[in-house]
Amino acid sequence: MKKLLFIVNPRAGKTKSRAPLFDAVAQFSRAGYLVRVYITEAGGQARDIAARWGGQYDMVVCAGGDGTLNETITGLLSAGANTPIGYIPAGSTNDFASSLKLPTNILKAAQTIVEGEPVSYDV
């Protein structure tokens, strides 16, 4: 079974409901992933989680704002992990997602992660 590490920043997008994140987990599970969820509680924690655990998973997905994505990428790079990253934009502005025309709807983003084609970006 494939393993997916799901890093969630619950403070991102202060006015957004967290309920769709449960549906995203279900979508990952239906796609054949065993999902481990980490909820961040402080700045820098997404980086630490990604660095420590990311290399042991088939995919790392983060839900949060641009800062959460930045931390997740930084953590994986610092650990030398070459794990694919999925991004669920759940922040207030989601500049990165907007510039790349990524879906900002949580369920559409989760669907794109499991059904879409990987794209490489130079970080």
Side-chain angles (χ1 to χ4, degrees):
M1 178 171 268
K2 302 177 288 185
K3 297 186 305 180
L4 185 146
L5 176 61
F6 191 24
I7 301 170
V8 177
N9 177 353
R11 289 173 187 78
K14 294 176 175 72
T15 61
K16 293 184 179 181
S17 169
R18 300 292 165 242
L21 291 173
F22 291 103
D23 294 328
V25 170
Q27 200 162 27
F28 298 144
S29 184
R30 283 191 301 273
Y33 286 97
L34 177 63
V35 181
R36 182 174 189 179
V37 179
Y38 271 99
I39 306 296
T40 63
E41 298 175 354
Q45 200 170 22
R47 179 195 64 236
D48 297 342
I49 292 166
R52 181 170 183 189
W53 300 106
Q56 299 176 32
Y57 287 80
D58 299 295
M59 182 180 299
V60 174
V61 175
C62 66
D66 294 340
T68 305
L69 176 62
N70 184 348
E71 286 187 22
T72 302
I73 292 169
T74 301
L76 287 171
L77 289 174
S78 71
N82 193 25
T83 308
I85 300 171
Y87 178 43
I88 296 181
S92 299
T93 57
N94 303 310
D95 288 331
F96 183 78
S98 296
S99 67
L100 295 177
K101 298 180 180 30
L102 299 175
T104 55
N105 174 281
I106 290 174
L107 295 179
K108 286 193 181 292
Q111 181 179 5
T112 300
I113 289 166
V114 298
E115 296 177 3
E117 292 296 318
V119 178
S120 294
Y121 293 100
D122 183 1
V123 294

